[in-house]
Amino acid sequence: MKTLEELRAELEAARKAVKAYEAAHTERLTKDQLAEYAKLLDAADLAKSAVDLKERSDRQAAEEAAKSGETRTVPAAAKGPEKGPFKSFGEQLLAIAQVTMSGDKTGTSDARLKFGQIKAAGANETIASEGGFLVQEDFSTQLMGLVHDTGEIIQRVTNIPISSNANALKLPVIDETSRARGSRWGGIRAYWLAEGEQKIDSKPKFGQISLGLNKIAALGYATDELLQDATALETIMKQGFTEEIRFEVEDSIINGNGNGKPLGIINSGAVITVAKTSGQAAATITFANLVNMLDRLPARSRRNAVWLIADSQVETALYSIQLPGAAGYPVYLPPGQAGTPGNVAPGRLLGLPVIPVEYLPALGTAGDIMLVDLSEYITIDKGGIQAAESMHIRFVYDEMCYRMVYRIDGQPAWRQPITTANGAVTKSPFVILQTR
């Protein structure tokens, strides 16, 4: 019986014959030509059926061999070198595809592949159906580096990696609701003492932030043609996976409901919504709005604070805002006014950077402009990305499906705004503007 590689070669030849015939006959086919075309299609269908049956037979043989404890010779196309790391992420993706197609579900035929299973949060059992091949450490680091370095939001949060044996983190925080005397740090109080005067004790009050890893998965499809080119496969998959994971993680940092994903700033108890001014027109931003938002930001957060704005319409509105007075100086300094070539400085508003992002609502909606200190948002993640592959999901389209899994959680470090020492207002590192 022919090997799987021989059958696949015949299938490829049959498909090329069909394509060549189609290219050579662009006009309406005659009766004889239709008969010839039908024969070519039948031959391609027959070759495809032969490949399907052989793959099924090889999988069954592998399963039977595993049950009996026997070893099975893996087809040459599925083998990799016994030693040494993968040279590229694309090469590893190809290796995953090869061992999967050969029926080797856990990659024992390629010593470079390491199979892992995802442990359910809060449980001791592993979920076999959610297992996958661990992305080689240096490639995993590159992928997550792209996510963190290119994301304007995620690169600014405080991230805490957790150990391989943990799925959650309980983080002690200061339970502080006011900056008044006796309330700072939840209850610490300092006194001026005369000579010999008795000292008065005080102590801080602690709260706790509980973070449990949530799973985010990205799927990508690769055609048979793409599987022949490791470089192209790596370029497409790396960019696609990192951009999609970054988008979903950053969106959840802003808008997440905390149910199976991070708790977003807008849905947290720490956010302050600044009211619009009296008689303010719809879908506008005024100088008074900006000053009032800045007034609600703690002074210690100004060194890290940035303005986040919706990436459409809001920036246009900023250009029309001027300082009060006859001079009419603009408040917004557009991007590129400082910096070096290739490193254009962001725009600045009241001296703070302006970052347009995709995750905010349209102009005039609450949250279309935010003033935030993202270092006061905490994330945890578990190092490493898991990759799995299936040839069955898009089987009829001759495509492989790759899945990348990343585990992360996050929430604001603040539970609620803090009242100022003089009791005048509350302040928070997360400030948004009301709907206008």
Side-chain angles (χ1 to χ4, degrees), residues 387-427:
E389 183 273 346
S390 173
M391 61 180 292
H392 303 292
I393 296 175
R394 299 274 291 180
F395 183 74
V396 297
Y397 298 96
D398 298 321
E399 292 179 343
M400 291 289 176
C401 176
Y402 288 96
R403 180 191 71 193
M404 295 289 172
V405 176
Y406 176 51
R407 307 190 70 196
I408 187 172
D409 194 19
Q411 68 180 68
W414 289 43
R415 294 183 177 183
Q416 59 194 16
I418 292 179
T419 304
T420 56
N422 60 15
V425 295
T426 56
K427 298 204 174 194

Side-chain angles (χ1 to χ4, degrees), residues 176-185 188-189 418-423:
E176 184 181 56
T177 59
S178 172
R179 296 293 295 166
R181 287 186 175 86
S183 298
R184 290 185 286 272
W185 280 69
I188 290 182
R189 177 71 190 275
I418 292 179
T419 304
T420 56
N422 60 15

Side-chain angles (χ1 to χ4, degrees), residues 2 20 34 36 53 99 128 137 149 196 245 295 313 319 327 338 343 353 356 359 371 375 398 410 431 436:
K2 294 181 179 180
L34 285 172
E36 293 174 355
L53 290 172
V99 298
E137 184 174 354
D149 293 344
I245 289 175
D295 183 58
Q313 298 182 300
Y319 280 99
N343 185 28
Y359 323 109
L371 181 58
S375 68
D398 298 321
V431 184
R436 284 90 58 213

